[in-house]
Amino acid sequence: MKIVGGSASLNLAQNLARVMGVDYVSVQHEKHPGGFPDGEQYVRLQASVAGEDVVLVQTTHPDPKIVELLLLEDAVREADAKSLTLVIPYFGYGRQDKRFEEGEGISARALAKHVQAKADKVLVMGLHNPSVLMYFDVPAKEVDGMPAIARYLRGRGIDLVLSPDKGAVRHAKEVSEAIGASWDYLEKERIDSFTVRMSLKNLKVSGKKVAIVDDLISTGRTIVSAANAVKQQGATGVMAACLHGLFTSDALAQLKVCDDVVSTDTVPSPVSKITVAEEFAEALKTEF
Ligand code: R5P
């Protein structure tokens, strides 16, 4: 087996190779210093993958990383790999998983159909809706990243794990069981991409240390609203942990309302303090 890392997932790919004890193949990204004048991309594998089971790791966010993924798949196949497994740590475009209004494209399906084209199997993590897996025609599996978040939270004195909305309840439950804390959830109403409203709810957080857990942080508005609710009700500490930290515009500044903010390395960010390499390594060892 050999592991190839796209530029959206370099650290995770290298960690994965280390955890699995296999060779990591680096990629050249410029044919000439400075790259192509028109901004088009270039990839060249720096070692042979002929006859190998290749694992290609690349998050599909932001958009140029999708093109890079397609080029890398082509390079791996062109180099006569025996098989190609895609690891997509964060499946960008996964949130539009169905047609909500007439005339819309189903982004998750469009992406799935294209990125799988040269792959034998696909692993993804923390899908917004696991039903997105049905859009892949090759075997596809969702890897659970919450054990990695639990590893980080364990031993930090967390009394309660809070889901900021009903959608992340499954994550809060799982993490709370893993670290021996209780759990609860808030109800969120999304007004638009930048505005959320939390329902008033009495939480048993007075004098407690709370960890808010979500699959994804984008603008940070969801977590900020939840953290404010928790603080107003007397929590002594509040931290936020997510799988995919997109942290758009001033999200990290807004999130200073929390005592600590962490994400995994599915999307590189200044607070990607948790690696999910172990979770992907385990999944790769299991037949699917
Ligand atoms: C939504 O259902 C997700 O689980 C996240 O809560 C949401 O995408 C976070 O977005 P933002 O950080 O922009 O509030």
Side-chain angles (χ1 to χ4, degrees):
M1 178 184 284
K2 287 194 177 179
I3 296 190
V4 178
S7 65
S9 302
L10 269 188
N11 286 346
L12 175 53
Q14 285 167 357
N15 275 332
L16 186 56
R18 185 178 42 76
V19 170
M20 298 197 75
V22 302
D23 284 346
Y24 176 78
V25 177
S26 53
V27 177
Q28 180 185 339
H29 287 277
E30 289 180 352
K31 191 170 178 80
H32 309 289
F36 293 130
D38 55 10
E40 287 185 357
Q41 300 183 61
Y42 169 87
V43 299
R44 184 180 181 200
L45 303 177
Q46 295 293 281
S48 169
V49 295
E52 297 282 349
D53 291 311
V54 172
V55 175
L56 171 57
V57 190
Q58 174 83 323
T59 269
T60 56
H61 172 88
D63 288 5
K65 306 303 179 189
I66 300 169
V67 175
E68 186 190 326
L69 174 59
L70 300 179
L71 302 187
L72 282 168
E73 286 186 55
D74 203 71
V76 168
R77 284 305 190 190
E78 197 59 29
D80 292 326
K82 184 170 138 209
S83 70
L84 173 57
T85 300
L86 286 189
V87 167
I88 307 179
Y90 168 58
F91 183 63
Y93 285 96
R95 281 177 285 178
Q96 173 99 31
D97 57 347
K98 60 183 176 201
R99 181 157 48 81
F100 297 94
E101 291 184 66
E102 190 81 14
E104 288 179 344
I106 301 176
S107 315
R109 184 179 62 190
L111 249 277
K113 297 291 179 209
H114 284 88
V115 298
Q116 70 173 1
K118 287 184 180 261
D120 297 298
K121 292 191 269 185
V122 180
L123 289 176
V124 289
M125 179 170 280
L127 286 169
H128 186 63
N129 182 349
S131 68
V132 163
L133 290 174
M134 74 185 176
Y135 293 140
F136 291 94
D137 304 309
V138 297
K141 186 171 147 184
E142 186 184 27
V143 179
D144 185 5
M146 287 300 149
I149 289 188
R151 270 200 302 279
Y152 181 87
L153 294 180
R154 200 172 287 125
R156 288 176 197 265
I158 302 298
D159 301 296
L160 181 112
V161 180
L162 183 70
S163 167
D165 55 30
K166 278 190 170 164
V169 162
R170 64 181 173 126
H171 302 313
K173 275 189 186 173
E174 182 183 341
V175 171
S176 70
E177 276 163 26
I179 67 171
S182 55
W183 67 274
D184 206 337
Y185 69 97
L186 287 168
E187 283 189 56
K188 175 178 89 178
E189 187 190 351
R190 182 165 285 288
I191 314 296
D192 59 39
S193 298
F194 295 92
T195 322
V196 296
R197 192 183 295 142
M198 289 294 170
S199 65
L200 290 174
K201 179 177 177 185
N202 283 330
L203 300 163
K204 293 190 180 114
V205 293
S206 182
K208 292 190 174 163
K209 210 166 162 186
V210 178
I212 307 170
V213 169
D214 208 345
D215 57 341
L216 184 145
I217 300 179
S218 176
T219 65
R221 300 297 202 280
T222 298
I223 297 292
V224 169
S225 303
N228 284 333
V230 161
K231 282 195 153 179
Q232 276 159 16
Q233 296 190 41
T236 49
V238 57
M239 60 170 299
C242 70
L243 290 176
H244 314 306
L246 302 185
F247 304 120
T248 55
S249 63
D250 66 344
L252 280 171
Q254 299 288 332
L255 285 161
K256 291 216 180 326
V257 65
C258 300
D259 304 309
D260 187 17
V261 177
V262 287
S263 68
T264 74
D265 51 0
T266 62
V267 180
S269 83
V271 296
S272 298
K273 298 181 201 163
I274 306 170
T275 183
V276 289
E278 277 181 42
E279 281 63 36
F280 278 116
E282 273 312 306
L284 284 164
K285 285 186 213 151
T286 317
E287 220 26 71
F288 68 97

